Amino acid sequence: MYVNVAVLKETQPHERRVALMPSVVAKLIKLGAKLHMQSGAGEAIKLMDSAFKDVAIVSDRDALLADADVVLAVQPPALGVIDAMKEGAILISFIYADKEPSLVERLLEKKITCFAMEKLPRITRAQSMDALSSQSALAGYYAVQLGSTHLGRVLPKITTAAGAIGPAKVLVMGLGVAGLEAIATAHRLGAVVEGYDVRPETQEQALSLGATFVETGVDATGEGGYARELSAEEKTKVADVLTKHIQMADLIITTAAIPGRASPKLISKAQVAGMKAGAVIVDLSAEGGGNCEDTRPGETAEVGQVTIVAPLNVPSLLGEDASELYAKNQYNLLALMMKDNIVKIDWDDEILAKTVLTHAGTLHKDAQKAPTKAGKDTKARTAKPAKKAA
Ligand SMILES: NC(=O)c1ccc[n+]([C@@H]2O[C@H](COP(=O)([O-])OP(=O)(O)OC[C@H]3O[C@@H](n4cnc5c(N)ncnc54)[C@H](O)[C@@H]3O)[C@@H](O)[C@H]2O)c1
């Protein structure tokens, strides 16, 4: 008895990550998985099929999916993937349902039990499964590297016979997982770092990582540890305080986000115009439209004397480490539902109940509740192991 687990090769442009890494193969097998992977799934991070020992490599995607009890992916899969899956099988992936209505429709039609990685509750017990956090931490680190390569100056103080230079001033705006990692990285590299967020609890976190905190007097703490949108009055109050800090910075890293909303604008065109010549902004919120009015998502723009870097899908740029952490996140989530060579979903487990997006033809979009009794009836079906390997 075993559970057929299939790993897809990612097909979205510029996606280099893969949902399985050699380091978790033995652990998954121990849980009862029979592993299959689409040929070339690790190629983008220079992992050839031969690096995946004890994994059956399948070149035909639909053949790979036909027998799969569980399908693992990074990005929302193509509709054809769902069509090729067994009815009632499990999909674990990022989905972002609001942007993927056709995909959600297909998941419902095929009665796929889909766990959407972005829906995982941000609770302590779920930390090892939290792909938003693991990927954001890497993005925060990378933002500093990216920013420093666009700067015409160094981050630390460097003393030479001709005199001393630096350190550079770095301002990090938005102190979630990515922002705090950016602070830690910039501090390690010797910059003088300031942090800013609308959630006052981030002050202590910024200070503990070696930054000072820009206090604006605005508290916009929202639901579940996230921020809420600022009122027009609050925006003016914040801008008044921030302008001075924006104009002093050599490098600004912005990461601010509000769930389900476009990225809040933290830096206006007028503030960019007042920045130091040669300063750099790295806007990690480009995917949501950006935190700066001059951001052009996916581009590096010269605006006056300032360079604005707005990369998309930053974790993919660190594909090897991002895949390593993502594969571990997925393994830890699977370990909650796989035991003794079968899949058994405990809908009373808060993590599974909140992460599920579709189950037995029912949508659990904002689900804070476990799937209904009708869903429990199909539990037995998902618990059944497959009879043979692909
Ligand atoms: N307990 C856990 O296991 C766990 C794990 C990860 C994250 N979390 C929490 O989840 C929450 C979200 O973290 P995230 O990294 O996904 O954040 P996120 O990507 O949603 O947002 C990034 C940051 O932007 C800030 N922000 C929003 N609007 C802003 C504005 N106008 N000006 C300045 N900053 C603004 C937010 O407060 C947040 O800190 C945080 O409270 C974090 O501590 C908890």
Side-chain angles (χ1 to χ4, degrees):
M1 293 220 303
Y2 48 78
V3 178
N4 270 327
V5 175
V7 182
L8 287 174
K9 177 175 164 67
E10 298 297 317
T11 52
Q12 289 205 8
H14 311 300
E15 183 52 77
R16 302 172 71 229
R17 289 170 291 177
V18 57
L20 178 70
M21 288 292 273
S23 61
V24 297
V25 166
K27 292 172 170 191
L28 282 167
I29 290 173
K30 209 168 166 197
L31 287 181
K34 182 105 178 162
L35 292 167
H36 306 77
M37 194 178 78
Q38 195 175 348
S39 178
E43 245 168 29
I45 52 168
K46 312 277 186 282
L47 274 180
M48 298 301 111
D49 291 345
S50 55
F52 291 86
K53 303 260 179 286
D54 301 319
V55 178
I57 304 298
V58 183
S59 36
D60 185 280
R61 185 199 70 184
D62 290 359
L64 170 84
L65 293 167
D67 268 345
D69 303 304
V70 177
V71 175
L72 303 180
V74 180
Q75 294 284 356
L79 299 183
V81 165
I82 313 303
D83 294 340
M85 282 174 71
K86 279 195 304 196
E87 187 167 314
I90 294 172
L91 169 68
I92 310 179
S93 167
F94 279 118
I95 300 290
Y96 292 104
D98 286 342
K99 295 185 192 153
E100 301 284 347
S102 315
L103 178 59
V104 172
E105 213 171 283
R106 275 303 209 289
L107 291 168
L108 292 170
E109 279 164 17
K110 285 295 287 273
K111 298 193 170 45
I112 302 295
T113 297
C114 172
F115 292 96
M117 294 301 283
E118 73 278 4
K119 286 184 87 247
L120 193 97
R122 314 301 282 280
I123 57 172
T124 307
R125 190 166 65 87
Q127 274 177 356
S128 66
M129 307 157 208
D130 189 342
L132 281 181
S133 288
S134 68
Q135 308 300 292
S136 292
L138 293 176
Y141 158 84
Y142 196 65
V144 180
Q145 309 300 322
L146 201 53
S148 66
T149 61
H150 283 85
L151 271 177
R153 52 172 311 169
V154 298
L155 293 186
K157 180 178 179 186
I158 292 185
T159 306
T160 75
I165 46 169
K169 289 193 174 68
V170 176
L171 171 63
V172 181
M173 305 172 87
L175 305 182
V177 177
L180 291 174
E181 190 60 47
I183 285 184
T185 305
H187 179 68
R188 275 199 298 270
L189 288 173
V192 172
V193 191
E194 288 188 313
Y196 154 71
D197 198 293
V198 288
R199 291 181 299 116
E201 73 206 57
T202 57
Q203 173 163 13
E204 200 185 318
Q205 295 161 349
L207 296 181
S208 73
L209 293 169
T212 52
F213 188 75
V214 181
E215 276 187 75
T216 60
V218 169
D219 176 349
T221 307
E223 301 272 307
Y226 291 97
R228 62 161 174 81
E229 204 163 1
L230 302 187
S231 67
E233 218 171 274
E234 286 172 326
K235 281 181 190 163
T236 310
K237 191 174 173 191
V238 162
D240 285 349
V241 178
L242 283 179
T243 299
K244 189 177 80 191
H245 297 269
I246 290 170
Q247 290 176 350
M248 283 186 327
D250 298 295
L251 170 62
I252 300 180
I253 292 163
T254 66
T255 79
I258 300 168
R261 298 284 175 101
S263 315
K265 296 290 181 244
L266 309 187
I267 307 176
S268 67
K269 283 176 180 286
Q271 284 169 322
V272 172
M275 285 176 72
K276 277 181 167 177
V280 174
I281 298 172
V282 177
D283 192 339
L284 280 190
S285 291
E287 240 137 323
N291 289 145
C292 172
E293 283 180 357
D294 280 322
T295 291
R296 291 186 215 145
E299 292 179 29
T300 297
E302 301 292 334
V303 180
Q305 315 300 317
V306 177
T307 305
I308 305 177
V309 190
L312 300 172
N313 194 359
V314 177
S316 171
L317 299 170
L318 292 171
E320 189 182 330
D321 280 342
S323 300
E324 186 68 34
L325 295 179
Y326 186 81
K328 285 181 175 152
N329 292 144
Q330 286 212 328
Y331 160 75
N332 287 320
L333 184 59
L334 270 171
L336 275 190
M337 57 181 111
M338 273 177 69
K339 211 177 162 208
D340 301 330
N341 297 356
I342 60 163
V343 174
K344 193 161 191 236
I345 300 171
D346 174 8
W347 292 119
D348 292 328
D349 186 318
E350 182 191 8
I351 295 175
L352 297 176
K354 287 185 175 170
T355 309
V356 74
L357 175 71
T358 60
H359 174 66
T362 306
L363 180 63
H364 299 270
K365 202 158 155 242
D366 301 309
Q368 299 303 319
K369 287 190 305 207
T372 55
K373 212 165 169 228
K376 284 202 173 189
D377 291 345
T378 57
K379 187 165 84 174
R381 192 171 48 200
T382 54
K384 255 193 195 163
K387 289 192 187 84
K388 62 175 182 62

